[in-house]
Amino acid sequence: MIRSDYGQHSDTEHLRGPSRARSGAVCVAMAMLLRLRASVRPWVGVCRWAHTKEKGKPLMLNPHTNKCECACCVSVECEYACACVCVSCVCVCVCGMAFTLKERQILGLQGLLPPKIETQDIQAMRFQRNLRKISDPLQKYIYLMGIQERNERLFYRVLMEDIEALMPIVYTPTVGLACTQYGHIFRRPKDAALFKVEQNVRVRGWLIGSKGLFISIMDRGHIRSILDNWPETNVKAVVVTDGERILGLGDLGVYGMGIPVGKLCLYTACAGIRPESCLPVCIDVGTDNQTLLRDPFYMGLYQRRDRSQRYDDLIDEFMEAVVDKYGQDTLIQFEDFGNHNAFRFLKKYRYKYCTFNDDIQGTAAVALAGLLAARRVVGKPITEHTVLFLGAGEAALGIANLIVMAMMEEGMSQAEARKRIWMFDKYGLLMQGREEPADTNQEAFVHASPGEEVKSFLDAVNVLKPTAIIGVAGAGRLFTHDVIKTMGSLNERPIIFALSNPTAKAECTAEDAYSLTQGRCLFASGSPFGPVTLEDGRILTPGQGNNAYIFPGVALAVILSGVRHISDTVFLEAAKTLAGQLSDEELSQGRLYPPLSNIREVSLQMAVKVVEYLYLKGMAFRYPEPVDKEAHVRSVVWNTNYDSFLPDIYDWPGVSHAPIVE
């Protein structure tokens, strides 16, 4: 079987349908992907041949092989709604219309489709037109996820072509809203074609499918067999959450599944990691969210969170089952675990598994990249900055520790670097003698009292005189006008990062940050803000400190290199790489990060640099080492062009099938 350079089977290996158990090795052979070229640039159209035993309607029901744009209903105003029946002005049925005439005839599709044969270009145009008709972000999310369930190549093409506009839909901030509504918009993938809306109830939106694996604490002792139920066998990247701290929204239990799904969408859209090699997982150990426990539509266990040893045993079993099933170098990304668990799991597993925590390490890298970019404007080295955090949880500590590493790389001692970082949380300034004690993860940043009384964050700004403030508290608009004005009076070019997600939880708006500092501040946010026009006519474009600049490229590099353990130095290297991709022109526009429209190229360049670093430092275990690492990275990137499912037909010239007569 032909395999890509990072160990993936062909696109159609999984096409075994109900006969999988009966077919065995025969189906594997029939599912061989025959490529025309050994190396394909991801953005160049190439026809690929894939022989599949699957025929007829199942081809159109499988998102890996489907060539339809089955546009799901997004505004159901009638009694019935259907995946393949037009019921509104937005919904259009064009199932399978990109299958060629020969494919239709050979694969048993002729007559099941309208006569017209469409190109993917036409389908993408229709997809984009329908998206423009939808104004509500949640409805756009529902529509997009519906297409992903039916035709992932078309979904990713449209997402990649308009990533700047659609990333806020498939990821933060809209994914947060989708998570809060998950039980109300959920549907099982490839469900029955028709459902009846309850009498006198108007339903807006098509129901969203399950795109991941749910594992509950009741499944202890059986996780390996649950992984066997997942249809893809060649998983290379897992994103897992237990739903306890979803963005800035708190404990959403199994509703947090939207986060791993969204993260892995960006693995593919930003870095070209094959979608079938990605596995989203939600661990359900209960929820402490009383609203959900009373919600009849909640889909998880109706119990308080289990915080006993059984929880740790469950996570241990999960980690062991993943590497047993998919291999020791399988990447496992932890996402949106509570602070108390995030740090201890990172410490517990980082040297045993190929794992990282994006909330700690990914956030740290993107924040540090912003500071390194700001350094080019401010004109002072990072060792001369004083940083004050609003918040002292996993994001703040992750960023702080990486800043310390960057300062140490420039010659400062660890002790001196830590003294330049302060934290302010809900109990006040993190300092010695505080009534509320610090936990073990915070101890490195507990300092002696600054000598003056600090009761509020504004007091902390006035007393400590920071050059940069970074908000990661998830508590809303706590960078008040007075705080912003004070930062502007203390610094010629104040650095203000409002990184909390979603948008409603950001510490301040871009407009406030720019207008209250007369456009002098260097601003970045976690969720997107639009350009700001100042009174003098200048237009500034705020930077979005989105982790998507970091984790897809790092993940691709880790997968390609066969890394067993991921060092923090990898994220330091990623931060420097990201900062280096910002042009002077973009910096002059107010940006601290490259435009999101360039994120595919940013991610690939990051993967190249990280792959080079991993081999240089002896962390890579996949050999032989590629000579041209950029060519190697680009050669394995998944693209969105449709496969051809025509069998490999050829003649035997000169061969006689008659017996030889003497």
Side-chain angles (χ1 to χ4, degrees):
M1 176 169 293
I2 296 175
R3 297 168 67 93
S4 80
D5 287 349
Y6 60 99
Q8 297 304 303
H9 292 295
S10 67
D11 285 3
T12 53
E13 180 192 355
H14 60 282
L15 299 179
R16 303 171 189 174
S19 62
R20 178 176 180 180
R22 300 191 302 269
S23 302
V26 176
C27 284
V28 174
M30 296 296 288
M32 179 177 291
L33 173 64
L34 300 174
R35 296 187 182 274
L36 285 177
R37 301 174 184 173
S39 178
V40 178
R41 287 186 298 147
W43 39 80
V44 175
V46 177
C47 182
R48 296 172 299 183
W49 277 264
H51 190 191
T52 172
K53 192 174 181 179
E54 200 72 77
K55 290 189 177 183
K57 193 171 182 180
L59 276 172
M60 297 187 293
L61 295 178
N62 190 318
H64 297 319
T65 59
N66 194 13
K67 299 185 183 184
C68 82
E69 183 216 347
C70 189
C72 308
C73 303
V74 295
S75 182
V76 180
E77 303 291 346
C78 60
E79 187 179 12
Y80 293 95
C82 164
C84 301
V85 178
C86 178
V87 295
S88 76
C89 62
V90 179
C91 183
V92 182
C93 172
V94 285
C95 285
M97 289 180 62
F99 285 102
T100 66
L101 181 60
K102 286 186 178 180
E103 285 178 324
R104 297 179 187 204
Q105 293 170 343
I106 292 174
L107 299 174
L109 297 172
Q110 190 71 358
L112 302 181
L113 302 167
K116 181 185 178 184
I117 297 172
E118 287 195 335
T119 64
Q120 192 184 70
D121 292 340
I122 294 296
Q123 293 181 328
M125 189 185 307
R126 181 186 291 110
F127 190 170
Q128 292 160 342
R129 184 197 64 181
N130 288 342
L131 274 173
R132 287 192 293 269
K133 292 181 180 179
I134 308 170
S135 58
D136 181 70
L138 182 59
Q139 299 303 318
K140 280 192 176 184
Y141 176 89
I142 291 170
Y143 180 71
L144 281 163
M145 294 299 106
I147 294 292
Q148 185 192 23
E149 285 183 1
R150 292 165 176 80
N151 185 340
E152 65 186 9
R153 290 186 184 273
L154 181 62
F155 166 79
Y156 281 111
R157 170 177 170 166
V158 172
L159 178 58
M160 290 160 56
E161 287 180 350
D162 199 11
I163 190 72
E164 194 159 13
L166 296 181
M167 185 183 290
I169 303 298
V170 300
Y171 195 54
T172 180
T174 305
V175 72
L177 176 60
C179 285
T180 64
Q181 301 295 316
Y182 201 76
H184 302 261
I185 61 176
F186 176 87
R187 78 178 277 271
R188 198 162 47 85
K190 295 181 284 296
D191 237 338
L194 196 65
F195 73 94
K196 189 175 187 302
V197 180
E198 292 181 9
Q199 190 173 4
N200 300 324
V201 177
R202 178 168 290 183
V203 176
R204 291 189 59 81
W206 184 248
L207 303 177
I208 294 302
S210 166
K211 297 290 293 181
L213 202 62
F214 294 89
I215 299 173
S216 84
I217 198 163
M218 309 308 294
D219 297 318
R220 285 184 310 131
H222 305 282
I223 294 179
R224 181 60 170 77
S225 64
I226 291 175
L227 292 178
D228 289 338
N229 292 336
W230 186 248
E232 308 297 344
T233 59
N234 223 19
V235 170
K236 290 296 176 183
V238 177
V239 176
V240 58
T241 186
D242 71 351
E244 185 172 5
R245 195 198 62 81
I246 298 299
L247 300 175
L249 302 171
D251 188 348
L252 296 184
V254 297
Y255 282 6
M257 175 59 92
I259 298 299
V261 170
K263 287 280 184 179
L264 289 171
C265 279
L266 300 184
Y267 268 45
T268 300
C270 298
I273 297 173
R274 305 179 71 86
E276 67 269 23
S277 71
C278 300
L279 172 58
V281 177
C282 185
I283 303 286
D284 183 10
V285 295
T287 177
D288 291 336
N289 186 324
Q290 289 299 320
T291 300
L292 295 182
L293 292 176
R294 292 192 294 265
D295 183 356
F297 296 108
Y298 181 60
M299 299 181 301
L301 296 174
Y302 285 101
Q303 67 174 50
R304 304 277 296 185
R305 279 192 173 270
D306 191 325
R307 302 185 186 277
S308 69
Q309 184 60 39
R310 298 200 316 157
Y311 172 70
D312 281 36
D313 293 344
L314 182 74
I315 303 299
D316 284 344
E317 183 187 348
F318 169 74
M319 299 295 283
E320 292 167 6
V322 167
V323 299
D324 180 62
K325 172 76 173 177
Y326 304 118
Q328 183 65 43
D329 60 353
T330 305
L331 173 62
I332 305 173
Q333 175 181 328
F334 279 72
E335 192 68 36
D336 287 352
F337 280 71
N339 289 345
H340 48 292
N341 289 322
F343 281 106
R344 68 188 187 89
F345 285 152
L346 181 59
K347 290 178 180 178
K348 182 177 184 179
Y349 297 131
R350 67 184 311 167
Y351 298 115
K352 187 176 180 181
Y353 300 101
C354 179
T355 186
F356 73 95
N357 186 301
D358 186 54
D359 303 303
I360 298 172
Q361 296 159 291
T363 301
V366 77
L368 176 59
L371 290 176
L372 295 177
R375 179 176 60 178
R376 291 161 56 183
V377 177
V378 176
K380 72 170 60 171
I382 194 168
T383 52
E384 294 182 15
H385 282 283
T386 298
V387 183
L388 173 61
F389 285 89
L390 179 62
E394 56 191 289
L397 293 168
I399 298 169
N401 284 315
L402 202 62
I403 292 173
V404 168
M405 288 181 64
M407 289 180 172
M408 292 172 63
E409 193 175 61
E410 296 194 6
M412 182 175 275
S413 70
Q414 184 183 67
E416 287 300 314
R418 287 173 172 175
K419 288 179 181 178
R420 304 195 72 87
I421 297 173
W422 291 80
M423 296 187 181
F424 189 100
D425 64 10
K426 62 183 178 180
Y427 302 111
L429 192 65
L430 202 61
M431 61 183 183
Q432 295 170 2
R434 192 176 75 165
E435 183 176 339
E436 181 66 27
D439 66 33
T440 55
N441 300 302
Q442 298 168 330
E443 287 175 356
F445 302 101
V446 176
H447 306 308
S449 170
E452 300 179 45
E453 187 176 27
V454 175
K455 291 185 176 181
S456 66
F457 188 72
L458 178 60
D459 290 341
V461 172
N462 279 311
V463 171
L464 299 172
K465 296 177 173 50
T467 56
I469 55 174
I470 300 178
V472 284
R477 305 291 194 259
L478 295 181
F479 287 176
T480 63
H481 287 196
D482 288 340
V483 166
I484 296 170
K485 289 177 180 177
T486 302
M487 283 295 295
S489 66
L490 292 172
N491 303 280
E492 179 61 29
R493 299 303 300 268
I495 299 171
I496 300 175
F497 287 1
L499 299 183
S500 291
N501 288 314
T503 308
K505 300 290 186 179
E507 285 72 20
C508 69
T509 66
E511 184 174 5
D512 282 347
Y514 287 132
S515 61
L516 295 172
T517 60
Q518 301 78 49
R520 291 181 292 113
C521 84
L522 298 162
F523 176 82
S525 59
S527 288
F529 286 100
V532 175
T533 303
L534 301 177
E535 290 182 356
D536 59 9
R538 285 182 295 156
I539 299 176
L540 296 176
T541 303
Q544 185 187 353
N546 195 318
N547 292 17
Y549 283 115
I550 298 294
F551 66 79
V554 169
L556 179 59
V558 166
I559 291 170
L560 292 178
S561 305
V563 171
R564 302 291 177 85
H565 315 294
I566 306 174
S567 166
D568 282 333
T569 59
V570 170
F571 291 94
L572 180 59
E573 188 68 20
K576 293 188 291 186
T577 300
L578 177 57
Q581 294 192 62
L582 183 71
S583 70
D584 291 338
E585 181 182 357
E586 291 162 350
L587 198 59
S588 69
Q589 298 168 354
R591 298 180 184 272
L592 294 178
Y593 303 96
L596 275 174
S597 57
N598 297 340
I599 198 167
R600 167 58 77 97
E601 184 61 24
V602 169
S603 298
L604 294 182
Q605 289 291 339
M606 179 169 295
V608 171
K609 293 296 185 183
V610 174
V611 166
E612 291 173 349
Y613 177 81
L614 292 170
Y615 277 102
L616 178 66
K617 297 299 182 179
M619 300 180 190
F621 284 85
R622 183 155 290 128
Y623 288 95
E625 178 180 347
V627 176
D628 187 337
K629 294 177 177 59
E630 180 166 358
H632 172 60
V633 168
R634 294 187 184 279
S635 71
V636 302
V637 171
W638 184 78
N639 75 71
T640 61
N641 298 302
Y642 289 142
D643 288 331
S644 170
F645 294 109
L646 293 177
D648 188 18
I649 299 175
Y650 50 93
D651 293 326
W652 289 355
V655 174
S656 172
H657 298 284
I660 298 175
V661 179
E662 295 293 341

